[in-house]
Amino acid sequence: MELGGAPPSDAAIAIGGMTCEHCAATCAAALEAVDGVSRASVDLAAGRATVVADGAVAAEALVEAVEACGFDARVLEEAAAAAATAAAAATTTTLAVVGMTCAQCEAWVVAALRGTPGVS
């Protein structure tokens, strides 16, 4: 499988095993060293990298570059498509909550909402 073509193309890579910003910087440098990659950014908290390629780049080359640094990696094609679909279908709802008197009240409301299926 190859990424690329005439226009720049994006790839999402899941990266496992990163524990600090140095790990993220190491992965970004390794990805940017792959021929055809113009830019790579790594999100430590999300455990994922976004890669922009100027030309044809084999997805396997991206995974191998990260794995050569000692981290786990896989291409997120399906996950990226699913996230884009979910983002397009997401709605925002604002709720007025009355009667809260302290930070613990807020924490309970937040916990209840996060425990509701479909709420993020």
Side-chain angles (χ1 to χ4, degrees):
M1 165 189 175
E2 288 193 1
L3 308 168
S9 61
D10 292 351
I13 308 290
I15 302 175
M18 296 186 298
T19 58
C20 66
E21 287 299 329
H22 179 72
C23 295
T26 299
C27 291
L31 289 165
E32 288 179 346
V34 174
D35 286 338
V37 172
S38 62
R39 187 175 66 247
S41 63
V42 178
D43 183 338
L44 173 64
R48 84 182 256 150
T50 302
V51 178
V52 178
D54 287 333
V57 175
E60 293 79 20
L62 300 174
V63 170
E64 288 171 6
V66 173
E67 289 177 341
C69 296
F71 301 98
D72 299 320
R74 65 184 170 86
V75 177
L76 289 174
E77 296 171 51
E78 297 83 19
T85 301
T91 59
T92 301
T93 302
T94 302
L95 302 172
V97 180
V98 295
M100 295 191 305
T101 59
C102 65
Q104 185 59 48
C105 294
E106 177 187 0
W108 286 329
V109 171
V110 168
L113 288 172
R114 286 190 178 144
T116 304
V119 175
S120 60

